[in-house]
Amino acid sequence: MSEGQGHYAGAGGHGAGPQPTPYPQPTPYPQGGPYAGPNPYSPADNPYAQGNPYAQGNPYTQGTPYPQSGPYGQANPYGQPVPAARPPAASPSPASSAAPPFDGAFPGPRPRRSRIAVLLQFTLQWIYAPLWIAALAALFAILLWSGASGPSEPNSDSWLKVNRTFIPPRRLKAELTGRAEDWERYVAPILERRIRTAEAGHAAGAGEVGADFGRTMGVKLAVRLYRGLGAAGVVRLAERYGWQGVPSGGDLARVRLSRRFPAPAAVFAPGPQDPPAAPGTPWGARPARSALLLPFMFVLQIGYVPVCGVLSLLAFWVKHPEPDYWDRWGARWAVGPRAFWAEFSGSAAAWDRHVRRIVAREVRPGNRGTEAPRRIRVNLATYRGAGAQHVLRVAAEQGFFLDPAYLPEPEVCVRLHRPDRQA
């Protein structure tokens, strides 16, 4: 896919020492800031062989979170007092992501079920499973034609989860014998699959971001999947993959697992005020789509975009390697009404207006008095003809900078972070 994930952490840089820069003071990011790191491009490809103005220290151990002689004037360009210095956050070590030894806090195997009940359920499910599928299809058809939205109470979607009562043949032996080794053979592939899915989601930007820009991923399993093995056995299996158990607070219905990933190392990224990146480079303008095809794409997408959405719902068992697959698909095969003129004309002014409109919408406080977001994501479709660096330039005017919690992927999206600014 042309907009696939690409990380371009170069190994060397230009070899020359950094030149004097307009940003002599620290920036609000650890590990050298979001615009630090070696330049992966050769001097012939780099249109701006200059020093990195953001390669400074951690703002929470030094002074203010903004450059004193920042890109928009003297002192603090935002006209607000700066926060006091904070103690440095503990930097995660490689060993910190490893699971600690099990301390006995997780329960063991659950009581076995009756063999007669298990065999009866396994036999009857081949009768009520087709009936449930038919009833589910009929209900969806009724809701579609009547315009109703269905029940909205808590747990009102339990009727969609009758499949949880099914016993697959692989689990039948474990249920009947109750031996821990049989349960382990059953749950180990399920656990590995869910862990791999969670780690793929982390690579695509999922996870809960911590104060030190590390991210935590979570996985949970229902007790029906590991009854004879116990939560302690599941945690033991998860430790092989570097995951650890999370205390459930007496919840015996499921086991929770987590893994903490440290913040990625800083890589090269141009600053908002650096010379414009050359077209075709990761941070420059992307190649434009054919102006002759755009009108047809604009009209035909009214039909094929919903069709593709319906097909993806019907083929729910098909898993794409990238969790943000549909964002990437839309960037290739769809064009937004507001982005149409900018892409059709190729006008730099039109692209600038479009980028500013989208960034202003993303940083706006939410409804019901919610505050402005700390993190936003701007997709490729927004800045295709302007370049990812132009997004950095526009976002910096709103107090947002490249998010150090994620590896930059300008071929797909730009993730931005607003540092804390306390009065």
Side-chain angles (χ1 to χ4, degrees):
M1 184 174 296
S2 60
E3 288 88 26
Q5 294 189 13
H7 305 308
Y8 35 85
H14 299 297
Q19 303 297 321
T21 73
Y23 306 95
Q25 301 298 325
T27 64
Y29 301 98
Q31 303 181 8
Y35 308 111
N39 186 349
Y41 308 108
S42 64
D45 295 330
N46 182 18
Y48 38 91
Q50 300 185 14
N52 185 359
Y54 295 90
Q56 303 296 333
N58 189 330
Y60 303 120
T61 60
Q62 310 177 31
T64 71
Y66 301 101
Q68 293 298 318
S69 57
Y72 307 110
Q74 300 299 320
N76 184 354
Y78 301 97
Q80 297 187 17
V82 297
R86 301 181 180 182
S91 177
S93 62
S96 65
S97 60
F102 179 64
D103 58 3
F106 300 99
R110 304 290 297 157
R112 287 180 56 186
R113 298 178 58 196
S114 167
R115 289 188 178 92
I116 297 178
V118 170
L119 289 173
L120 186 61
Q121 179 181 348
F122 181 79
T123 303
L124 293 179
Q125 72 184 10
W126 304 106
I127 300 174
Y128 67 75
L131 297 178
W132 170 75
I133 295 174
L136 193 62
L139 181 58
F140 272 119
I142 293 173
L143 294 178
L144 181 63
W145 287 103
S146 64
S149 59
S152 58
E153 295 79 10
N155 300 324
S156 60
D157 60 345
S158 58
W159 53 276
L160 290 171
K161 304 172 183 176
V162 181
N163 60 306
R164 295 184 177 182
T165 65
F166 298 164
I167 299 180
R170 293 180 302 164
R171 197 171 88 205
L172 180 62
K173 180 180 179 181
E175 291 274 14
L176 294 178
T177 64
R179 294 197 298 262
E181 54 269 24
D182 293 334
W183 277 103
E184 181 171 338
R185 277 193 294 269
Y186 168 69
V187 74
I190 299 176
L191 178 63
E192 180 181 7
R193 183 168 61 250
R194 296 196 181 185
I195 285 178
R196 298 308 180 201
T197 300
E199 291 176 349
H202 170 268
E208 181 180 353
V209 182
D212 58 353
F213 299 109
R215 284 183 285 148
T216 302
M217 299 297 300
V219 168
K220 61 182 179 180
L221 276 74
V223 68
R224 69 178 185 277
L225 302 177
Y226 62 88
R227 179 183 301 276
L229 188 62
V234 175
V235 171
R236 174 177 52 83
L237 293 176
E239 289 174 351
R240 302 175 183 176
Y241 302 97
W243 288 63
Q244 63 184 12
V246 178
S248 58
D251 183 9
L252 301 179
R254 60 188 56 84
V255 61
R256 293 179 172 85
L257 309 168
S258 71
R259 182 177 179 182
R260 187 185 173 284
F261 294 85
V267 299
F268 173 82
Q273 299 304 319
D274 281 354
T281 60
W283 293 95
R286 307 296 297 170
R289 293 179 288 189
S290 172
L292 297 177
L293 294 179
L294 280 178
F296 296 99
M297 184 183 299
F298 183 75
V299 174
L300 294 178
Q301 71 184 3
I302 300 174
Y304 66 71
V305 169
V307 168
C308 291
V310 172
L311 291 178
S312 68
L313 291 176
L314 295 177
F316 58 87
W317 63 87
V318 177
K319 302 298 182 182
H320 298 288
E322 305 95 353
D324 55 351
Y325 169 83
W326 287 110
D327 289 332
R328 300 165 181 263
W329 184 91
R332 295 188 63 185
W333 300 108
V335 54
R338 293 187 175 182
F340 175 78
W341 176 248
E343 189 167 359
F344 182 78
S345 64
S347 169
W351 276 112
D352 178 71
R353 287 193 299 268
H354 181 61
V355 170
R356 291 180 181 277
R357 179 168 53 240
I358 299 301
V359 171
R361 183 189 67 186
E362 294 295 327
V363 304
R364 186 183 305 123
N367 298 328
R368 300 181 181 178
T370 57
E371 62 181 16
R374 291 281 308 279
R375 287 180 163 84
I376 63 174
R377 166 176 168 158
V378 182
N379 291 326
L380 171 66
T382 298
Y383 58 84
R384 182 190 305 275
Q389 186 185 2
H390 189 71
V391 177
L392 299 180
R393 187 175 299 112
V394 173
E397 299 174 5
Q398 304 289 337
F400 282 78
F401 300 91
L402 195 63
D403 197 333
Y406 306 88
L407 280 172
E409 294 183 284
E411 302 94 340
V412 179
C413 67
V414 175
R415 299 179 185 272
L416 302 163
H417 169 249
R418 175 176 57 88
D420 281 329
R421 289 183 293 173
Q422 300 177 354

